[in-house]
Amino acid sequence: MASADPYFDFLLRMGDNTLILGHRVSEWCGHAPVIEEDIALANTALDLIGQTQMWLGLAAEVEGKIRTADDLAMLRDAWDFRSALLVQQPNGDFGQTLMRQFLFDAWHLEMLKGLIKSSEVRVAEIAAKAVKEVQYHVERSGDTVIGLGDGTAESHAKMQAALDLLWPFVGELFTPDAVDDAMTANGIAPDLNDLRTAFDTHIGSVMTEATLTIPDSRFAHKGGKSGFQHSEHLGHILTQMQWLQRAYPGASW
Amino acid sequence: MRPNVAQIWEWLDTVPDPEIPVISVVDLGIVRGVTWDEDTLEIAVTPTYSGCPATSIISLDIETAMLDRGIAKTRIKTQISPPWTTDWLSDKGKAKLEDYGIAPPRAAGGPARCPRCKSENLERISQFGSTPCKAQWRCCNCLEPFDYFKCI
């Protein structure tokens, strides 16, 4: 169900994307192939969770302070989440995690660049803060995609498989719906169609350098950001992420 | 009587960063404003990285330091705009970082020299390091790894 206020929905989309991806990436903590990558993944997750606090904090204010950012993160069920299907996808192997990260980062960067010019000053401020971190994320995820794609025969095959697997989840990020249209109409957010060219150029050059082939299809799975049809994975993430607050309501330290 | 704002800034300059205790919160450039609102002291603080866990500790440390100086009411205002930049690190802070073994940020995007042996023959180990604000580098001369304060 869409809420009555598209602005609230839009803020949930931004915050839920960073929350779910931040949680996913944090699942690597202590498990990455080398310690430097472990630290890099944990730092990326931390930035994303920090951005979540800003987006969901603003969403909570817009809603009328009925719920806090913590309530929104920890006490909503799957159908009330507005995260894109891409960020819900499982980590898979290290290469698949970094491919998902790069595809998201490349979209995130263009989105935030557009949001810096938002008619809503609070949105513009959050975007200006977050874009500095995301610029750094995409440099690293892009470099890693190149390193592994143009690596050994095995790493190349794994990266191509990851790209083939995740590619159908890219389209949702660029397909406007009623919420997006409302945001574009009042100047809060950029037109998603306008972000695609810069995204395609960016990922095109990285994939070429990585010797990877982008699938020749624009087929897109949809239903995450609208909440209409989430992947099965989202519910499983929430059982982990929300367990403590569900078992011990109001617990803090 | 309320202490004047210049005095408050001096006191703030004695509050260490919890992760890098050789520099103060003023050196770090995260204190963005000090004003009195009647008998409440308002201090505007900007986070370095949006998820940096030190941010809440810093606010607590500032409140405690002000309480120690006899200021009963302090309000910390989190201000995210304009976003923090390493350009706001003081020269004093940069020098202290290097003495402590952390290469200070540079617009060129990497450390100028090894903080220990001063060699310029360096290599990057990782874009990320022990805290969100740092990256890992290594000196190819003395072979010691060291932290580099990322330039953002």
Side-chain angles (χ1 to χ4, degrees):
Chain A
M1 274 284 290
S3 71
D5 181 3
Y7 182 39
F8 177 66
D9 253 29
F10 166 75
L11 293 169
L12 289 184
R13 289 177 181 193
M14 293 305 296
D16 288 347
N17 277 341
T18 51
L19 174 62
I20 298 301
L21 186 59
H23 183 82
R24 267 287 186 236
V25 175
S26 77
E27 290 172 359
W28 274 101
C29 196
H31 300 280
V34 290
I35 193 163
E36 287 80 8
E37 293 305 329
D38 204 292
I39 289 169
L41 286 163
N43 270 290
T44 304
L46 194 60
D47 285 342
L48 292 169
I49 299 300
Q51 293 167 19
T52 304
Q53 286 176 327
M54 297 193 285
W55 291 121
L56 293 188
L58 182 53
E61 281 182 44
V62 166
E63 194 187 29
K65 301 190 177 176
I66 306 160
R67 294 181 281 187
T68 65
D70 285 342
D71 292 340
L72 290 172
M74 296 302 164
L75 300 177
R76 277 178 302 154
D77 216 330
W79 47 79
D80 289 325
F81 269 77
R82 294 291 177 267
S83 43
L85 295 173
L86 176 67
V87 299
Q88 305 172 15
Q89 297 310 303
N91 286 337
D93 58 27
F94 178 73
Q96 189 178 318
T97 293
L98 266 295
M99 180 61 78
R100 183 189 61 202
Q101 190 69 37
F102 175 63
L103 295 172
F104 179 78
D105 289 344
W107 171 81
H108 203 193
L109 179 66
E110 297 309 323
M111 185 64 173
L112 292 171
K113 280 191 201 162
L115 291 176
I116 290 174
K117 292 170 263 176
S118 175
S119 58
E120 279 285 346
V121 64
R122 299 282 301 277
V123 170
E125 286 178 355
I126 295 173
K129 178 78 190 159
V131 76
K132 293 179 136 196
E133 295 163 1
V134 171
Q135 183 80 53
Y136 207 78
H137 297 170
V138 76
E139 264 177 47
R140 170 176 172 277
S141 59
D143 283 354
T144 315
V145 165
I146 292 168
L148 293 172
D150 187 20
T152 64
E154 185 180 351
S155 73
H156 174 87
K158 285 188 174 183
M159 293 312 276
Q160 185 63 55
L163 179 56
D164 294 345
L165 179 75
L166 295 170
W167 185 248
F169 298 102
V170 168
E172 183 185 19
L173 300 168
F174 292 97
T175 311
D177 60 10
V179 170
D180 297 310
D181 290 343
M183 291 302 98
T184 307
N186 57 23
I188 292 178
D191 186 336
L192 295 178
N193 292 307
D194 295 346
L195 308 180
R196 184 86 204 216
T197 312
F199 173 87
D200 282 339
T201 308
H202 186 177
I203 64 160
S205 71
V206 166
M207 295 308 171
T208 302
E209 211 179 326
T211 69
L212 297 172
T213 308
I214 297 172
D216 185 22
S217 166
R218 283 278 177 104
F219 170 75
H221 292 293
K222 296 187 195 101
K225 69 178 184 181
S226 66
F228 175 70
Q229 196 166 36
H230 281 297
S231 69
E232 183 190 342
H233 310 299
L234 181 63
H236 291 270
I237 295 171
L238 298 187
T239 60
Q240 290 283 315
M241 192 179 82
Q242 299 181 333
W243 177 83
L244 193 114
Q245 282 303 321
R246 299 288 191 181
Y248 304 98
S252 64
W253 65 80
Chain B
M1 207 182 91
R2 300 185 320 197
N4 67 42
V5 166
Q7 176 66 67
I8 305 282
W9 276 99
E10 265 180 48
W11 289 342
L12 287 168
D13 201 21
T14 65
V15 178
D17 175 276
E19 288 285 348
I20 314 168
V22 289
I23 60 171
S24 75
V25 293
V26 174
D27 287 329
L28 191 57
I30 58 170
V31 180
R32 304 314 300 163
V34 176
T35 47
W36 281 103
D37 175 15
E38 298 188 346
D39 64 342
T40 302
L41 178 65
E42 186 173 278
I43 300 175
V45 175
T46 194
T48 51
Y49 286 77
S50 47
C52 185
T55 307
S56 56
I57 302 297
I58 287 171
S59 297
L60 193 66
D61 287 350
I62 290 175
E63 282 177 44
T64 308
M66 294 303 112
L67 203 58
D68 289 346
R69 306 283 183 170
I71 298 169
K73 292 187 196 166
T74 302
R75 184 167 60 224
I76 305 290
K77 188 177 123 194
T78 304
Q79 181 179 311
I80 65 164
S81 179
W84 178 76
T85 158
T86 38
D87 294 348
W88 293 342
L89 269 170
S90 70
D91 289 340
K92 166 167 76 84
K94 286 180 191 167
K96 282 183 179 173
L97 279 179
E98 192 169 5
D99 282 348
Y100 189 60
I102 300 172
R106 273 200 328 149
R113 57 190 177 179
C114 169
R116 292 184 183 79
C117 77
K118 313 301 177 198
S119 164
E120 293 172 13
N121 186 12
L122 311 170
E123 65 177 354
R124 190 177 74 187
I125 300 173
S126 173
Q127 273 163 292
F128 290 88
S130 56
T131 65
C133 57
K134 287 178 276 172
Q136 275 277 305
W137 282 66
R138 175 166 37 223
C139 175
C140 302
N141 186 39
C142 72
L143 303 181
E144 283 290 331
F146 63 89
D147 274 331
Y148 164 63
F149 206 101
K150 286 163 16 186
C151 184
I152 71 161

